[in-house]
Amino acid sequence: MQKLNAEFSGKGAEWLGVNVRDQAANAIAFNQSYGITYPSIMDVDGGAMQLAFSGSIPPNAVPTTLVLDKSGRVAARILGALSTPSILETIVRDAIAEVPAA
């Protein structure tokens, strides 16, 4: 994810990590250990992000990757760990190239 974040920075794609199980100290340590530079938010206590996407993500589906289109709708959903970054790269390229609905 970090590699793709760097590749698409300034090209119409933005990344946001949502931590739904880790406590803040663990999430921060992970980001520092792996050089994660995209923003991350904690959703452990309130579950607001999980609730917002409850129609798209089963509550126990962690990790899940969502790609939103230019209108903010879910364009693609990947449940589980990504087997290869090329899958996400293709989806992101398609979403960036999409012409928004009028």
Side-chain angles (χ1 to χ4, degrees):
M1 296 281 262
Q2 176 59 36
K3 181 179 175 186
L4 292 176
N5 173 60
E7 179 180 340
F8 287 105
S9 180
K11 297 178 182 173
E14 296 183 35
W15 306 88
L16 176 66
V18 180
N19 298 295
V20 297
R21 296 205 175 136
D22 294 330
Q23 294 303 312
N26 293 341
I28 291 167
F30 177 89
N31 288 351
Q32 290 174 340
S33 293
Y34 292 97
I36 305 300
T37 61
Y38 54 85
S40 241
I41 61 171
M42 299 302 297
D43 193 38
V44 176
D45 296 325
M49 290 294 285
Q50 287 179 306
L51 183 59
F53 289 101
S54 62
S56 300
I57 306 171
N60 60 349
V62 176
T64 295
T65 302
L66 294 179
V67 176
L68 305 181
D69 66 13
K70 292 180 180 179
S71 299
R73 298 175 303 217
V74 176
R77 172 181 72 170
I78 302 167
L79 300 176
L82 290 166
S83 59
T84 175
S86 64
I87 295 168
L88 182 57
E89 181 178 6
T90 299
I91 294 169
V92 170
R93 284 190 193 287
D94 289 349
I96 290 172
E98 174 187 83
V99 176

